[in-house]
Amino acid sequence: MTALLLLPLLLPCALPALARRALARLAPAAALWAVTACAVILAGCSLAALGAFVLIGLLKLPLFAAFGEFIHPLHTASAAIVVPAAATSVGVLAVCCWTLVRSVLRQGRAFRAAHTEAGSGPAAGDLCVVDSPRPDAYALPGRPHRIVVTTAMLRSLDGPEREVLFAHERAHNEGGHHYFLAAAELAAHCHPALRPVRAAIRLAAERAADEAAAAHVGDRRLTARAIARAALVGHASATPRPDFAAAATTGPVPQRVRALLEAPGGPRAGRLVAALLIACTALSGATTAAGLVDFHHRVEVAQGDEAP
């Protein structure tokens, strides 16, 4: 049981490397879905494993054993392993909860500030223009979704480049990319190894929006030029916004521009990467489920409900 529950804590360490390969081998939208789903499942499995370790440690104590109506000792690994594992799990879960609460509060403040700023300027449909000397543009989720762009950014781009920028930000809102970015942030607070995956998911979202904008305007070179210019002028922008509000100026822009300038090819050799992501996710889920089922069986044996 202990070995089964250790595996979900180790498998997330493989995801950052797999995420980088997924971005290189899979279509951006497919990589976004695959990496985000894998990160969320691995995060959930790791939390379940930590929770199981905490319960195992508690049920080794006479008070909680009596509360569980045990008539036999709970058969687990040695107390020299179980007790430190339970204490460590308690500490890790406490840190996860604390950092998650801080992140939620910070993101909430930034979201309210961004909505306040968006409401201060004129709007035309989903487009909100903010009078600001800071060049910036981003997709702001909400009811309704908004595209926020500053006057400085509009002055920095010509007409066709503005069309690319608007198409890019609309692709973020239409694709629900804020959900993926929020899920990546949540997963990052559940396991330290998943923190680098946030950057990979953000890059996948930006690449997906880049491709959508290129398809909308029908010119990949124009799209690359608009993204590069917007990122160049908006690099020093400090507009407050939540991390899940995607923007064309974020991420490794040279890598995005290079991908746009490349001729779009056919299906890439991404089957192996997809298979590895699926295998990693399935293995984590299977070992977590097996460990929890085994733990439940041992509890029932200790309660006298089942034979050993």
Side-chain angles (χ1 to χ4, degrees), residues 232-261:
L232 183 63
V233 300
H235 181 70
S237 175
T239 302
R241 60 172 178 262
D243 292 339
F244 54 80
T249 57
T250 59
V253 176
Q255 182 178 344
R256 292 166 53 199
V257 170
R258 186 165 56 250
L260 283 168
L261 293 177

Side-chain angles (χ1 to χ4, degrees), residues 112 165 173:
R112 289 191 295 271
L165 182 67
N173 283 332

Side-chain angles (χ1 to χ4, degrees), residues 142-293:
R143 295 184 178 179
H145 295 323
R146 298 290 190 187
I147 298 172
V148 182
V149 60
T150 64
T151 52
M153 177 63 79
L154 292 178
R155 287 193 296 266
S156 302
L157 305 178
D158 59 27
E161 291 169 346
R162 293 176 190 173
E163 183 181 358
V164 170
L165 182 67
F166 298 156
H168 177 100
E169 304 303 351
R170 285 196 177 94
H172 280 312
N173 283 332
E174 292 171 358
H177 293 169
H178 51 283
Y179 292 119
F180 295 92
L181 299 179
E185 182 70 19
L186 178 62
H189 291 284
C190 297
H191 197 290
L194 297 177
R195 292 174 185 171
V197 180
R198 285 181 297 190
I201 292 175
R202 180 170 291 276
L203 175 57
E206 294 303 329
R207 284 282 299 112
D210 290 344
E211 293 296 331
H216 176 77
V217 300
D219 190 335
R220 298 180 68 84
R221 286 189 172 275
L222 169 62
T223 304
R225 187 177 76 243
I227 295 299
R229 181 169 295 179
L232 183 63
V233 300
H235 181 70
S237 175
T239 302
R241 60 172 178 262
D243 292 339
F244 54 80
T249 57
T250 59
V253 176
Q255 182 178 344
R256 292 166 53 199
V257 170
R258 186 165 56 250
L260 283 168
L261 293 177
E262 293 175 352
R268 297 183 179 181
R271 293 182 180 179
L272 177 59
V273 176
L276 288 174
L277 286 171
I278 294 172
C280 185
T281 305
L283 183 59
S284 181
T287 52
T288 302
L292 293 177
V293 168

